[in-house]
Amino acid sequence: MADVSHTRGDLAGHPDASEMAARYDRVLGGRDVVLVDGPVFLVGLYCAISPWVIHFAASQPALVLHNLILGIAISLLAIGFTVTPDRMYGLSGAMCAMGAWLIISPWVVGSSPDAGVIVNNIVIGALTLLLGAMCVGVAGKSRRAT
């Protein structure tokens, strides 16, 4: 009787091996930070709605507009990271700057902010700074690898 069992072989002799390897590299390239895109979007979304969640919309009108604009900008960065990662991960440094600005903004933009406003912006700023630093690190690592 003939031996019809399937033996695992090496794919090196396959005619499409180089094309499959190139496609695999293309799919995985630049998407090292895919798990960061969602949290960045959520931080931006929370930043935009935080004046109404923390209830400082009436007492800090300048900070309300500030958080709304920065939250929308962070969310747009996250969408850009998802849609066109090769082009957008260069803006990860801007996200770090936004995080640092969010930390000091209650004293610069606000007028005598209370503890809730300060803690809110420090937490949002620290998360933005941390996520931006992660994006910068991974984007730099992926550029060195290519």
Side-chain angles (χ1 to χ4, degrees):
M1 189 157 191
D3 184 18
V4 290
S5 63
H6 179 68
T7 58
R8 290 190 159 258
D10 188 15
L11 282 178
H14 194 279
D16 294 330
S18 61
E19 181 184 341
M20 287 187 293
R23 185 179 308 148
Y24 183 75
D25 290 339
R26 209 173 37 246
V27 167
L28 290 182
R31 297 303 300 152
D32 295 337
V33 216
V34 73
L35 294 176
V36 178
D37 297 347
V40 169
F41 182 75
L42 292 176
V43 166
L45 186 65
Y46 176 74
C47 181
I49 65 169
S50 66
W52 295 276
V53 173
I54 304 297
H55 302 293
F56 63 88
S59 64
Q60 301 286 335
L63 204 54
V64 169
L65 185 61
H66 169 269
N67 278 18
L68 180 65
I69 291 171
L70 273 180
I72 291 170
I74 292 169
S75 295
L76 288 175
L77 274 176
I79 291 169
F81 290 161
T82 303
V83 175
T84 57
D86 296 335
R87 292 181 174 189
M88 291 297 292
Y89 279 128
L91 291 174
S92 302
M95 215 169 94
C96 293
M98 283 186 203
W101 174 251
L102 274 166
I103 291 172
I104 64 168
S105 66
W107 296 282
V108 177
V109 177
S111 56
S112 63
D114 61 354
V117 173
I118 293 170
V119 169
N120 178 61
N121 272 30
I122 287 175
V123 169
I124 295 170
L127 285 172
T128 304
L129 188 62
L130 176 70
L131 292 169
M134 288 173 60
C135 289
V136 166
V138 174
K141 183 181 76 168
S142 67
R143 280 194 202 114
R144 283 190 301 267
T146 58

